[in-house]
Amino acid sequence: MKAIVFVKEVPETPEGVSVSENGQVQAAGGGNFLTDPIDPFAIETALQIKDAKGGEVHAVTAGNSRAEKILKEALAMGVDNSYLVADDALEGSDPNAIARVLAGAAKKIGDYDLLVTGDRAADDNSSIVTAALAQLLDIPVLTFVSEVVDFDADAKKIRVVRTLENGRQVMEATLPAVISVMKGIHEPRYPSLLGIRKASKREVPSWSLADIGVDPSTVGAAGSPTKIRSLDPPPAPSGVEMITGSPEEMAATLVQRIMDKKVL
Amino acid sequence: MSKTIWVVAQRGESGISRTTKEILGKAKELAGDGGAVAGIYCGASKDGVAEGLQAAGASQVVLMVDPKLDTYVAETYTSALGALARDRKPDVILIPGTLNGKELAASLAASLDGGAVQDCTHLDWDGDVLVGTRAFFGGNLTATVENRSSGPKIFSVKPKAFPLPADGAGGGGDVEEVAPELPASARTTVVEFLADEGKTVNLIDANVIVSGGRGLGDPEGFEIVNDLAAALGGAVGASRAVVDAGWIPYAHQVGQTGKTVKPKLYIACGISGAIQHLAGMRTSDNIVAINKDENAPIFKVAHYGLVGDVFEIVPELTKKFKEALQG
Ligand SMILES: Cc1cc2nc3c(=O)[nH]c(=O)nc-3n(C[C@H](O)[C@H](O)[C@H](O)COP(=O)(O)OP(=O)(O)OC[C@H]3O[C@@H](n4cnc5c(N)ncnc54)[C@H](O)[C@@H]3O)c2cc1C
Ligand SMILES: Nc1ncnc2c1ncn2[C@@H]1O[C@H](COP(=O)(O)O)[C@@H](O)[C@H]1O
């Protein structure tokens, strides 16, 4: 079994996050990026399949050389290898373009059975990369997975549960396939001290777009089909009316307000 | 400026879904004078679909009917819709932003060499460019995103983003059946669907949601929330704290890692208003907060604030609403 997990560095908090002229998301003062909180769940999912069935797990991120840090964290958790795709031409890539980059990296690693992503990145909340990646690699996709029920590398099949708006859907796909996992699918393991020490000594190979055979004109600010024009605070709330009095009086006043507004 | 806008139809409890209708209403506005709004449907049965699409504003209907399209699967729907879009080149494709709808939007965009913008709550032309507005970073920021794909511009649209069009907004229009282009073999199969017990959990469509948090004290505390929800014909929501504590199933959770809701009335009972909770409910039309702590952050997004004990206030509300609604 060979799995590739896609991890992403995201700004630590939404405070001060902005977008550059060419559509690149920036953290306040240029700093403080960390592993997307969803990523440990994706890594754990792949590691549990490896623990049960044997095989290898690789981690990949596309971004900036700063992101080597999150790949070391993946190594510390127990993935076998980590790869960074870093190239100046990536600046301003939207998730649709990032999927092209990740498809290139997956092909370069080759021979995969399973690709694992988070269900949505914490910063852009797009839920685009997973299904786009599957389409570009021409393999099945199962998004919003809350449980992997069965993984059969010999029969080349995966069976999962997806949690949808109104219930749970059991689905099966042939391998290789892409899945996106939801938070809570498994409790992510903590990296051991030994794991952290070993990871700190590992080299993380860095690939350029040329290395993975991706045409730079199809990514970055110019090659991205969508562009963030601006990031703004959400509209200010209209202001609260505090209703006072005894519980009975408060209830009476509120019911009056709601009935007058013909909300019901 | 007249444009051709496709709206991908989803089925609802009866006929096409509410969100599909909402999007059709918006599409009509975006298409402009002389523009076309086409309702595009994939499924195994076409019962009532064309009529529903027309009534909500579609000026054209395309039905792709095949047993293999019975349940949504990314591969089959992308194949059918992708082939049709390559052939007919619509300017814009709008898709209901359910989880499956978002998967489809991303997959279809990649198959057409373009891009998707997800979960839009506003859509506007800026000259010839269609621009969407969407929540970013769990609703802490609002992103304005343009789609400049060379082919069809794909957007998924959040439920309740746009008002329901008046019935009979459309009328007439061509109905056409097209044989869908499907993959040779099915690599993905739906084994079964386990519906959530109790329809009361349908938070997305609910007009009224009464939500409970840790302020209810224990699982039994939810009784007062259930009673108020029942009196208002609403659904029951919850904060993550009480879902994690096992007081109520995950299907009820509102927030960043739960459901995003936009009812006409949202009543938060004993919920502090953590940013992750607000991300899921702050755009509700009317927000009522009941909390004993006057400094609770929930009051910052509320329209009406009641400071006090939920156990004293909520039963009173239930009683008074019952009286008002009967009278
Ligand atoms: C990555 C991440 C994702 C998250 N996703 C979500 C999410 O999707 N949804 C979500 O809700 N949370 C989410 N959270 C958790 C969130 O941060 C809060 O911990 C949670 O919302 C708190 O729930 P609560 O308001 O019920 O509890 P508390 O914060 O404990 O608030 C209880 C409130 O009840 C009031 N109270 C107590 N007794 C009474 C009484 N008798 N009468 C009136 N008021 C009373 C208190 O004043 C207090 O304000 C997430 C957190 C993280 C880190
Ligand atoms: N730059 C990136 N590098 C690696 N993986 C990514 C990147 N961007 C997104 N992903 C993966 O795709 C998932 C969904 O991202 P998104 O489509 O942006 O919401 C994330 O949880 C990651 O697993």
Side-chain angles (χ1 to χ4, degrees):
Chain A
M1 189 283 302
K2 187 165 173 181
I4 307 173
V5 184
F6 297 95
V7 296
K8 184 183 185 189
E9 57 156 24
V10 296
E12 183 176 2
T13 78
E15 241 109 315
V17 166
S18 63
V19 64
S20 74
E21 190 66 19
N22 65 9
Q24 180 67 39
V25 174
Q26 302 165 323
N32 281 14
F33 279 81
L34 39 74
T35 303
D36 189 325
I38 187 71
D39 292 343
F41 294 93
I43 296 171
E44 182 64 35
T45 302
L47 288 177
Q48 289 208 5
I49 294 174
K50 176 188 164 177
D51 290 348
K53 313 274 169 174
E56 50 193 275
V57 177
H58 305 262
V60 173
T61 193
N64 178 298
S65 57
R66 183 185 50 212
E68 192 183 303
K69 191 176 89 189
I70 69 165
L71 292 171
K72 294 247 172 168
E73 283 176 30
L75 286 168
M77 264 183 87
V79 309
D80 299 282
N81 287 302
S82 275
Y83 307 93
L84 174 70
V85 184
D87 197 306
D88 290 345
L90 285 175
E91 177 95 2
S93 295
D94 77 352
N96 302 283
I98 286 293
R100 296 178 191 147
V101 179
L102 301 182
K107 282 187 198 150
K108 167 102 177 165
I109 294 172
D111 249 355
Y112 46 80
D113 300 295
L114 184 66
L115 308 182
V116 188
T117 74
D119 66 342
R120 56 183 165 182
D123 50 0
D124 62 58
N125 305 155
S126 280
S127 303
I128 285 181
V129 166
T130 320
L133 190 56
Q135 182 63 38
L136 296 168
L137 294 170
D138 189 19
I139 58 178
V141 63
L142 302 165
T143 52
F144 307 106
V145 168
S146 53
E147 191 185 339
V148 176
V149 183
D150 191 31
F151 183 93
D152 190 334
D154 299 325
K156 295 256 165 222
K157 278 215 160 130
I158 183 168
R159 181 181 278 218
V160 305
V161 177
R162 305 174 66 216
T163 298
L164 301 179
E165 285 86 354
N166 53 351
R168 291 149 41 86
Q169 186 186 43
V170 183
M171 287 192 77
E172 205 169 79
T174 57
L175 299 176
V178 189
I179 66 171
S180 77
V181 304
M182 300 172 88
K183 245 178 220 156
I185 180 167
H186 297 293
E187 205 42 54
R189 65 195 65 187
Y190 286 106
S192 66
L193 277 176
L194 183 66
I196 295 171
R197 256 215 335 266
K198 275 190 172 157
S200 71
K201 295 191 190 119
R202 292 279 301 273
E203 288 271 327
V204 172
S206 178
W207 291 334
S208 67
L209 291 175
D211 291 334
I212 58 170
V214 172
D215 176 354
S217 74
T218 63
V219 301
S224 289
T226 74
K227 182 187 175 204
I228 302 176
R229 287 185 168 185
S230 63
L231 286 178
D232 306 291
S238 54
V240 61
E241 178 190 345
M242 296 307 281
I243 293 174
T244 53
S246 69
E248 200 186 333
E249 286 160 0
M250 282 194 270
T253 310
L254 179 68
V255 170
Q256 191 70 52
R257 292 279 191 285
I258 299 294
M259 297 309 288
D260 286 352
K261 263 185 139 179
K262 304 213 183 320
V263 174
L264 300 172
Chain B
M1 186 181 57
S2 65
K3 301 279 183 184
T4 301
I5 304 201
W6 283 10
V7 176
V8 175
Q10 276 178 357
R11 273 197 184 270
E13 264 161 39
S14 63
I16 60 169
S17 75
R18 180 190 164 114
T19 312
T20 305
K21 294 179 192 167
E22 292 162 359
I23 300 174
L24 282 163
K26 180 67 186 181
K28 201 170 170 189
E29 182 194 316
L30 291 173
D33 291 339
V37 174
I40 314 287
Y41 171 77
C42 295
S45 138
K46 59 182 182 189
D47 280 0
V49 172
E51 297 75 6
L53 290 169
Q54 288 174 330
S59 56
Q60 300 166 12
V61 172
V62 179
L63 304 171
M64 293 193 277
V65 179
D66 191 291
K68 294 199 182 94
L69 293 171
D70 187 17
T71 316
Y72 163 81
V73 168
E75 286 184 86
T76 50
Y77 275 54
T78 302
S79 167
L81 292 165
L84 193 71
R86 266 185 290 275
D87 186 32
R88 305 196 175 183
K89 306 185 175 54
D91 296 296
V92 174
I93 303 178
L94 304 179
I95 302 177
T98 57
L99 296 177
N100 279 336
K102 291 199 278 181
E103 183 187 87
L104 175 64
S107 169
L108 190 58
S111 94
L112 296 171
D113 280 328
V117 182
Q118 303 276 40
D119 289 321
C120 294
T121 49
H122 294 275
L123 288 167
D124 294 294
W125 291 110
D126 176 17
D128 224 19
V129 183
L130 190 54
V131 180
T133 304
R134 58 185 303 269
F136 199 85
F137 233 124
N140 288 295
L141 292 165
T142 302
T144 308
V145 189
E146 65 181 42
N147 193 331
R148 49 192 186 186
S149 304
S150 53
K153 285 116 184 101
I154 299 179
F155 296 81
S156 69
V157 180
K158 262 233 174 288
K160 302 252 180 92
F162 302 112
L164 266 181
D167 238 1
D174 295 343
V175 180
E176 192 188 347
E177 276 196 59
V178 173
E181 192 169 311
L182 295 170
S185 65
R187 298 180 296 184
T188 324
T189 45
V190 178
V191 180
E192 62 178 327
F193 184 75
L194 312 158
D196 285 335
E197 344 99 50
K199 288 237 157 109
T200 49
V201 196
N202 196 343
L203 293 174
I204 308 287
D205 290 334
N207 279 326
V208 177
I209 296 175
V210 185
S211 275
R214 196 142 48 190
L216 295 174
D218 54 38
E220 285 70 49
F222 256 97
E223 241 166 73
I224 56 170
V225 165
N226 293 337
D227 289 348
L228 179 55
L232 294 169
V236 172
S239 73
R240 171 157 156 192
V242 296
V243 171
D244 285 352
W247 297 3
I248 189 166
Y250 170 74
H252 295 268
Q253 185 177 317
V254 172
Q256 189 180 319
T257 42
K259 292 193 172 104
T260 306
V261 301
K262 190 177 184 292
K264 289 200 178 117
L265 179 59
Y266 187 92
I267 306 181
C269 308
I271 293 178
S272 60
I275 201 139
Q276 297 91 350
H277 189 80
L278 302 186
M281 46 63 74
R282 70 185 312 154
T283 62
S284 304
D285 295 348
N286 293 281
I287 299 172
V288 175
I290 306 165
N291 196 301
K292 67 178 185 191
D293 172 9
E294 60 181 341
N295 295 317
I298 188 80
F299 291 122
K300 294 215 180 79
V301 302
H303 302 98
Y304 302 103
L306 286 69
V307 176
D309 187 342
V310 283
F311 294 100
E312 290 176 13
I313 298 172
V314 176
E316 236 5 281
L317 273 178
T318 305
K319 199 171 110 199
K320 295 240 154 42
F321 268 123
K322 271 188 186 156
E323 286 165 13
L325 289 168
Q326 269 159 17

